[in-house]
Amino acid sequence: MNYPVWDVTFGAGLLIAIVSILHVFVSHFAVGGGLFLVLTERKALRQNDTGVLSWLRTHTRFFVLVTVVYGAISGVGIWFTIGLIHPSATSSLIHAYVWGWAIEWVFFFIEITAALLYLYGWDKLTPRLHLWYGWIYFIAAFASLVIINGIITFMLTSEKWIQTHEFWAGFFNPTYFPSLAVRTAIALALAGIYALVTASRLKDPALKARLVKWSAAWILPSMAVMPVLVWWYIRQIPPELWNSARGAMPTASHYAVEAAVLAIVTFVLVLLTLVKPARLHLAYGLTIMLSALGTMGAFEFVREAVRKPFVIANYLYDNSLYATPSATDGGFSVEAIDQAGVLNTARWVRRLELGKGADVAAGREIFRVECQSCHTADSYRGIRRLLVARQWDAPALNAMLASLDLMHNGVMPPFAGTDAERGALSAYLATLYQAGPPPSDGQRLFEQNCATCHEAVPGDSAVTAIRALDAQTASDSLKNLPALFVRMPDLKLSEQQRVTLVQWIKTQVSAARNNASTFGGGRNRKEVAEDAVT
Amino acid sequence: MPLHNLVPTLDPIPLPAPYWVFKLLLVVTFTLHIVAMNFMLGGMVLALAGRWSGSRERANRLFTDVATKLPSLLPATVTLGVAPLLFLQVIYGQFFYTSSVLIAWPWLLLLVMLTIAYYGLYYVSFRTHRRAGAGRGVLLASFLLIAAIGFLFTNNLTLSQTPSAWATKYFADPSGWNLNLSEPTLAPRYLHFFTAAVAVGGLLLMLLAYFKRESEADYRQYVFRFGGRAFEFATMAQFAVGFWFLLSLPRDQRMLFLGDNGLATMLLLAGIAGAVGAILVVARALRQDDYRSGAIGGTGITVLVILAMTVMRDILRDDYLKPHFHPERFVVQTQWTVLPLFLAVFIGGVVLWAVMLWRYPFTAAVKAEAPQPWAQRC
C-alpha cells in the first residue's frame, strides 16, 4: 500500500505463477542442459560418434533458442511481474541482495556470451576450444543458480536475517543447500527430458536409441534421488510455516500430491522409453515434457503455498505489510495500521470518511490494498465463491476478519486497520453475495462457523473441550466465544444452533473414533492459534 | 477527491553501499546499454534502408552481414540493460515501481514483444544465411516491435520522474492500461534516442567495413560510405531533434542546460562540439576512404558524447524529482562482506569475457585445423 495496487482482473497471483513456472522450466534446463552439452560432446568425441555430434549441433541451436532467448527474457519477466504486483517485496529483495543480483548479472553475461560462442563455434573451433566454451557456459549457468537459490530460499527461511539484516545470514539459510540439491537434480533431469524431445525427431533408429538411453541415464537417477532431497528440504522448513500448508485449506498438500503423482508419471514414462528406444515418437517426448512441466509447476506452487502468509517469511506479508514495526517502515506494519487506520496510511486509496454512507466504497478500497495481492472478486482465489460457501452475514464476517490470521492454520495475514475499517470491509464483502438463512443441521453449522480453524477430530482443542462437557454446559460455553479464547470470533449463534452444533460435534467425534476416518490430519488448531498469539 | 502524498516512502532496508556507488554504476552501465541498443536498432534501420542505397546484390549482402550480427547485438542490449535496471531500482525504486504499475500491461507486454522480435532476428539470421537478403519482412516486424519497446521505455521513464501526473492516470484506470502520452517531452525525447540509434547504426556499418578486410574493395567502400552518410545525416538531424527536446522541457529544466547548472551546460556544449567533431572526422574519412579513422575515430567520439548525454539525462531526472527525491536521506550500511566479492567477480568476469572473445577466431571462415567429424554430417 506504499505503492499503487495493479488491478489484474483474473488474479495477480495467477499471473506470477504463469510467468514464473514457464521460466523455471526453461532456466533449470539452461543449467542442466549446459552440462549435458559438454559431457555429451566429450563422450561422442571419445567414441568418434559422428551421429551424436551431428545431432548435438542441432540440439545446441534448440538449446540456445530456448534458453538464451525465452529463458533470459522470461527471467527478466519474473522481475517485471513481481515489481508490478509486489513492488515493496521486490524493493526489499533488491535492497538486501543487490550485490547478489549484481554478481549473478556478471555470470549471466558470461553465460550468454559463452552460449552464443559455443553455438557458432561448432563451425569454427577445434573440439578442445569448443568444449572450453561449453564448460564456461555451464559453470556460469550453475553459478547463477548458486546465487539465485540463496535469494529464493531466503524468502522462505529468513530467520537469522530478520535479526541481523546481514547478507550471508539470509543467503546461507536452512533451506539453501537442500534447495540447491533439489534444483540441481531437477536441472539434470530436465537436460535429459529436453534431449528426448529433440532426439525423438531423428530418423536413424540406432542413433535415436543411443540418445534415448543416454538421455534416460540423465533423467532416471536424478529423479530417483529426488524424494530424499525433497525430504531433506521439507525437514528444514520451520514448523509454523509448514503448519499453514496443511489442514483445512490444504493448498500446499494438494500441490504436493500433484507434484508427487506427476513426478511418478514422468519417471514411468521415461522408463518406458527404454523398452523400444529406437521408436520414440515426438508426441511421446512432448508428453513427458508436459508431465515434467506439471511436476515443476506443482513443486513451485507448494513452495509458494508454504510461505504464505508471507512473501518474505516473518518480514513482509503477501499484501506488502511489514510483520514487525520499525522506525523506517513508513507506518506500513500491521501494528501501526491498527492504530492509524489503513485508509489513513495507504497512499494509493481514495480517502473516504467512514460512517457517512461511504462504508461499502471504503471497504472496497480496503479490499483493494489489503486483499487484492492474492484475491480477486470472481477469478483466481475468488472471494465471492469462498464467501458463498461460508454464508456469513456482515456481523459474522466482521467477527471472522478479526481472527483472519488464525484461519486455515495461519495462511493469511492479520487484518490491519481500525475496527471501523474492519466493519467497512465486512460491509463491502457482504455486498458480494446474498447470505441465505442460517443452516439448521450440525454439519453445515460446523462448516460455516468453525471449520476455518477447527476440525471435527478427536485431537482438536475445541472438540476435546466440548467432549469433556455435558451437552448443556458445552452449548452455553459457546455463547461467548472470546471468553473461551481471546482470539475466537465473537459469533452470535442462537440457542438452537448451539445445541445442534454441540450434538453434531459429539456424534462426529465418536464416529471418527470408531472408523478412524477424519476430515484432516488431527492436528490441534488451538495450539497453533496460541502460538500465533504468543 | 482528497489524496495522500502519493510518492512512496523509501525502503526501510539501508542502501548496501554509498549512494554515489549506485549512481556511478547506473550511469556507466546505462551508457553501455544505450551504445549496444544503438548498434542494434540502428543496424536494423540501415539493413532495411540499404535496399535504396545501391545495387540489389550489394544491398542483399549488406542485409545479410548486418542481420547475422543482430542475434548477438540484441542479447548484448538486454544483458547490458539488466544492470542499470537493477541499480535504478536501488535508488529510484519509489518512482520507478510506481510508474511501472501505472502502465503495467504495456510494460509487461513489452517482454512478449521483445521475445517475438528476438525470435524474428534469429529467423532472419538463419534465412539470410542461406539466401542473401531473405527475411526482410520479418526484420521489419522485429524492428517495429523493438522501436515500440523503446517508446514504452520513454513512457515509463518520463512518467517515473513526473509524480504530478500519477494520480489522474491511476485513479482513472488502476488496471494498468495507461501510457504517458500527455507528456510534452515524450515525442522529442523518444526521437532523440531513435535518431542517435540511426547515427550509431552508421558507425556499425563503418566498423564492419573496417574489420572486413578480406572483402573486396568495392563492397567495403559501399558499406563504409553508406554507414558514414547515415551517420552524418542522422547526427545533423539530431541537432534539430535535440533542439526540439530542449524547447519541450519545462522552463526550469531547460534552463539547467542554458546556464543554471554549470555541469549540465558544459556537457551540452561538449556534446554538441563532440557531435560536430564526429561529423567532421567522418566526413574527412569518407573523402579519403580512411576506414580506420572514420570507424574508430567516429565511434570513439560518439561513445564519449553518449556518456555526456547520459550524465545530462541523469542531471535532468534529479532536477525533475527535486521536490521528492532526497538522496541525503538514504541510510547507508555498506555490505563489506559482499561488495569486494562483487568487485572481484566483476573484474574476473570482464577478463574472462575478454579472453573468450580473444580466443574466438571471428575472422576465420571455416575451421583452420583438421576437418571435424561432424562437418561431413551437417
Side-chain angles (χ1 to χ4, degrees), chain A residues 331-350:
Chain A
F332 295 108
S333 67
V334 176
E335 214 171 280
I337 289 178
D338 279 346
Q339 299 298 318
V342 56
L343 292 173
N344 283 327
T345 309
R347 281 166 195 264
W348 294 81
V349 287
R350 292 178 174 87

Side-chain angles (χ1 to χ4, degrees), chain A residues 387 390-403 407 419 422-431 433 435-436 448-449 481-482 488-493:
Chain A
L387 290 176
R390 303 286 191 287
Q391 289 290 312
W392 296 327
D393 55 15
L397 268 167
N398 197 350
M400 289 293 189
L401 284 174
S403 332
M407 281 184 191
D419 290 350
R422 200 173 73 236
L425 179 57
S426 319
Y428 163 67
L429 292 174
T431 62
Y433 63 103
Q448 273 187 27
N449 298 296
L481 295 173
M488 289 272 278
D490 192 9
L491 297 173
K492 303 295 181 204
L493 299 173

Side-chain angles (χ1 to χ4, degrees), chain A residues 128-210:
Chain A
R128 201 183 151 82
L129 191 54
H130 191 237
L131 277 172
W132 182 76
Y133 285 107
W135 278 113
I136 290 180
Y137 170 80
F138 167 65
I139 293 165
F142 187 71
S144 289
L145 173 63
V146 164
I147 304 286
I148 292 184
N149 182 59
I151 302 171
I152 292 175
T153 52
F154 149 79
M155 293 167 75
L156 180 63
T157 42
S158 56
E159 303 87 294
K160 281 190 194 150
W161 181 87
I162 300 288
Q163 283 126 39
T164 61
H165 280 213
E166 201 268 316
F167 186 98
W168 297 110
F171 192 87
F172 288 115
N173 61 77
T175 52
Y176 179 83
F177 286 105
S179 166
L180 186 63
V182 171
R183 289 183 184 280
T184 306
I186 291 175
L188 297 177
L190 282 179
I193 287 171
Y194 276 80
L196 275 184
V197 173
T198 56
S200 72
R201 300 191 60 204
L202 287 168
K203 299 261 177 334
D204 175 355
L207 174 61
K208 187 191 273 192
R210 281 206 301 286

Side-chain angles (χ1 to χ4, degrees), chain B residues 33-357:
Chain B
H33 164 68
I34 281 297
V35 170
M37 181 279 282
N38 282 341
F39 275 129
M40 170 195 64
L41 186 62
M44 285 170 126
V45 172
L46 297 184
L48 289 165
R51 196 164 190 170
W52 297 283
S53 69
S55 78
R56 193 182 192 88
E57 191 239 322
R58 283 196 310 199
N60 282 349
R61 195 165 155 193
L62 173 69
F63 181 87
T64 307
D65 273 344
V66 177
T68 47
K69 308 287 176 296
L70 293 172
S72 305
L73 286 171
L74 181 68
T77 306
V78 171
T79 320
L80 289 170
V82 164
L85 201 59
L86 176 66
F87 301 125
L88 175 83
Q89 293 185 24
V90 178
I91 49 181
Y92 295 105
Q94 300 156 275
F95 310 98
F96 174 75
Y97 293 124
T98 308
S99 57
S100 302
V101 171
L102 266 47
I103 64 160
W105 275 118
W107 187 242
L108 192 61
L109 289 174
L110 171 168
L111 294 171
V112 179
M113 292 155 63
L114 181 58
T115 310
I116 296 170
Y118 203 161
Y119 279 120
L121 294 187
Y122 266 109
Y123 173 82
V124 175
S125 156
F126 292 147
R127 267 208 75 192
T128 193
H129 210 66
R130 290 195 198 120
R131 189 166 68 80
R136 272 207 170 77
V138 177
L139 189 73
L140 179 65
S142 286
F143 158 71
L144 290 174
L145 286 169
I146 291 197
I149 290 169
F151 184 64
L152 292 176
F153 266 88
T154 309
N155 271 271
N156 196 357
L157 274 301
T158 49
L159 187 55
S160 78
Q161 59 199 24
T162 46
S164 56
W166 292 350
T168 26
K169 283 191 200 301
Y170 181 73
F171 288 103
D173 186 4
S175 72
W177 281 112
N178 286 301
L179 283 173
N180 197 25
L181 301 179
S182 52
E183 165 65 38
T185 66
L186 188 73
R189 187 180 169 110
Y190 175 68
L191 275 180
H192 197 47
F193 278 90
F194 187 90
T195 314
V198 178
V200 177
L203 291 173
L204 175 73
L205 299 199
M206 293 164 77
L207 286 165
L208 274 181
Y210 173 56
F211 284 110
K212 273 194 165 292
R213 287 175 194 143
E214 82 288 0
S215 301
E216 56 270 33
D218 252 17
Y219 175 67
R220 261 185 101 187
Q221 193 184 46
Y222 153 71
V223 174
F224 186 74
R225 288 190 175 168
F226 179 47
R229 258 180 237 123
F231 176 82
E232 287 175 339
F233 285 126
T235 308
M236 282 189 261
Q238 190 70 291
F239 289 113
V241 174
F243 187 62
W244 179 20
F245 183 25
L246 191 64
L247 281 184
S248 73
L249 290 173
R251 191 182 177 280
D252 283 357
Q253 278 76 36
R254 184 167 62 239
M255 291 312 291
L256 290 174
F257 302 100
L258 302 173
D260 278 7
N261 180 316
L263 180 61
T265 310
M266 209 179 72
L267 285 171
L268 178 63
L269 291 174
I272 293 171
V276 172
I279 290 178
L280 293 177
V281 167
V282 169
R284 191 182 146 275
L286 283 179
R287 275 198 310 276
Q288 302 177 351
D289 278 334
D290 182 352
Y291 293 180
R292 191 188 151 82
S293 72
I296 305 292
T299 307
I301 300 172
T302 306
V303 168
L304 289 177
V305 171
I306 293 175
L307 181 62
M309 294 283 164
T310 308
V311 178
M312 285 161 66
R313 173 180 176 274
D314 192 70
I315 294 171
L316 178 63
R317 166 176 38 214
D318 284 359
D319 198 78
Y320 265 111
L321 291 176
K322 207 163 49 185
H324 314 283
F325 181 61
H326 311 284
E328 70 283 356
R329 291 190 197 161
F330 279 121
V331 181
V332 176
Q333 258 176 37
T334 305
Q335 291 178 346
W336 287 114
T337 57
V338 204
L339 186 53
L341 181 67
F342 163 69
L343 291 174
V345 170
F346 181 73
I347 293 165
V350 171
V351 171
L352 177 61
W353 187 73
V355 172
M356 281 201 291
L357 294 188

Side-chain angles (χ1 to χ4, degrees), chain A residues 233-255:
Chain A
Y233 190 167
I234 290 172
R235 297 241 320 168
Q236 303 303 319
I237 298 171
E240 71 272 12
L241 281 178
W242 189 239
N243 222 335
S244 71
R246 301 150 73 195
M249 196 176 65
T251 316
S253 321
H254 166 81
Y255 284 113

Side-chain angles (χ1 to χ4, degrees), chain A residues 2 5-7 65 91 95-96 98-99 105 109 113 116 122 124 126-127 133 322 343-344 346-348 350 368, chain B residues 1 4-5 7-9 11 16 79 90 98 119 122 170 174-175 335 353 356 360 362 364 367 369 372 374:
Chain A
N2 190 16
V5 173
W6 175 25
D7 273 343
L65 286 177
S91 176
H95 278 81
V98 60
W99 296 126
W105 170 72
F109 202 91
T113 310
L116 292 177
W122 277 105
K124 287 192 170 183
T126 60
Y133 285 107
Y322 295 97
L343 292 173
N344 283 327
R347 281 166 195 264
W348 294 81
R350 292 178 174 87
R368 257 172 23 82
Chain B
M1 179 181 59
H4 299 267
N5 167 20
V7 177
T9 50
D11 196 287
T79 320
V90 178
T98 308
Y119 279 120
Y122 266 109
Y170 181 73
S175 72
Q335 291 178 346
W353 187 73
M356 281 201 291
Y360 194 87
F362 283 100
K367 289 184 201 76
E369 295 168 30
Q372 299 309 315
W374 56 82

